[in-house]
Amino acid sequence: MNEKLHLTGFSKTEIAEFVGQIGEPKYRAKQIFKGLHARRLLSFEEMTDLPKAFRKKLNETATASTLKVESRYVSTDGTRRFLMKTHDNFPVETVFIPTENRDTICFSSQSGCPLKCDFCLTAKLGLLRNLTAGEIVEQIIIVLNDVYGVSAETPHGTNLVAMGAGEPFLNYENLIKALGIMADEEGLFIVPNRVTVSTAGIVPKIYEFAKLEKRPNLAISLSAPSDELRDKLMPINKRWNIEQLLPAAKEFEKTLRRGERFTFEYVLLGGINDSDAHARDLANLLDEYELQKVKINLIAHNPAEPLEYHPPGFEQVERFKTILKSKGVSAYVRRPRGRDIYAACGQLAAMKG
Ligand code: SF4
């Protein structure tokens, strides 16, 4: 059991308070914050700008790292999946997805997930526990260090997506705190418009999120154009159905600035939600709720045992997209990444292989 304070999840103000409590001058807080986030150091020992005695004192009550990388898998497409463990032995998964001009890190907000989306392997784990703000931030630090080296400049901008294991809006406070820490210009400096939070539809939190002054982007996982089908695929729909979800999406839409859009994710499951009629119903639904600044990300299901679903054929995915476009809806097909290492959407379930 790790009972030390995990300073990686402390805001600048909290670090200053902590430093004050142990009788050290305030400027030490800034050094620690920079050491943790700008230099991405995972131990106080490496913070050689701090006096040795102070580092020793820090180690007595605090820590800069609580996650342990258990395994690391590299896909033929360059995607990397990290399977980590918390100090109390719960799995945490993070995925690094390189693209030409930017990097994307897909992080987890919970260990496991309490929601039971039928097409998702993570759902099989159930909720193990919420991750702390420190555990969220540390995932990003570990990945950046693995890819570029400790303290090294990151040549590309880093985009973050809260689309790993867990429902981010069920760990709202820790998520928002972690994102605030990561946005700090004296630290990782990953600003909100480089971040996308994906929800399965926790409606009250969508309203709360929309009101944040510096809010990240939003993606809503929809995956069905009717309650009947969505109830089966995403049981959270029984708690907040489409009639409740889409007005919340509309409210969020109102907060978008010029040129901004938000996303609906639609996982295409062969023979289940991928017909021409489903595509038309989806376009009509957006029309009914007057959602105009939306883009639809179509994600062909990533097969994963023991899930029984299969992806539609390439042609049907294209047809689905074309129907949406013919009705004036922006639609994109998301290219699967890291399927061979169980790193793709819906595949995160602490698989060792
Ligand atoms: S799709 Fe997301 S919200 Fe649904 S069970 Fe999987 S991890 Fe949870």
Side-chain angles (χ1 to χ4, degrees), residues 119-137:
F119 47 80
C120 172
L121 209 54
T122 314
K124 307 289 172 218
L125 295 174
L127 175 65
L128 301 171
R129 76 160 165 80
N130 275 342
L131 298 182
T132 62
E135 287 163 343
I136 294 175
V137 178

Side-chain angles (χ1 to χ4, degrees), residues 237-269:
N237 197 66
K238 294 180 192 158
R239 177 72 182 82
W240 291 288
N241 64 14
I242 290 178
E243 213 174 275
Q244 292 164 300
L245 178 61
L246 294 199
K250 181 71 198 172
E251 201 57 32
F252 184 83
E253 190 185 78
K254 289 183 196 157
T255 70
L256 293 175
R257 289 173 288 263
R258 242 177 111 104
E260 275 187 339
R261 282 186 295 181
F262 76 103
T263 309
F264 279 123
E265 311 277 354
Y266 195 101
V267 176
L268 285 164
L269 306 161

Side-chain angles (χ1 to χ4, degrees), residues 113-117 119-123 164-167 200 221 234 346:
C113 182
L115 303 188
K116 303 204 173 329
C117 302
F119 47 80
C120 172
L121 209 54
T122 314
E167 162 53 57
S221 178
M234 302 183 69

Side-chain angles (χ1 to χ4, degrees), residues 26-27 43 53 60 76 186 196 204 236 238 264 322 339 344 349:
K26 283 254 154 84
Y27 67 88
S43 77
E60 281 162 17
T76 48
E186 288 184 315
T196 301
I236 190 68
K238 294 180 192 158
F264 279 123
T322 308
R339 262 189 191 176

Side-chain angles (χ1 to χ4, degrees), residues 124-179:
K124 307 289 172 218
L125 295 174
L127 175 65
L128 301 171
R129 76 160 165 80
N130 275 342
L131 298 182
T132 62
E135 287 163 343
I136 294 175
V137 178
E138 196 181 328
Q139 289 175 63
I140 314 308
I141 293 174
I142 286 175
V143 171
L144 290 175
N145 285 352
D146 183 81
V147 178
Y148 297 112
V150 179
S151 297
E153 286 268 325
T154 53
H156 301 146
T158 307
N159 289 350
L160 299 182
V161 292
M163 294 184 188
E167 162 53 57
F169 282 174
L170 291 180
N171 188 15
Y172 191 79
E173 311 253 298
N174 289 344
L175 171 85
I176 300 299
K177 183 176 184 196
L179 294 179

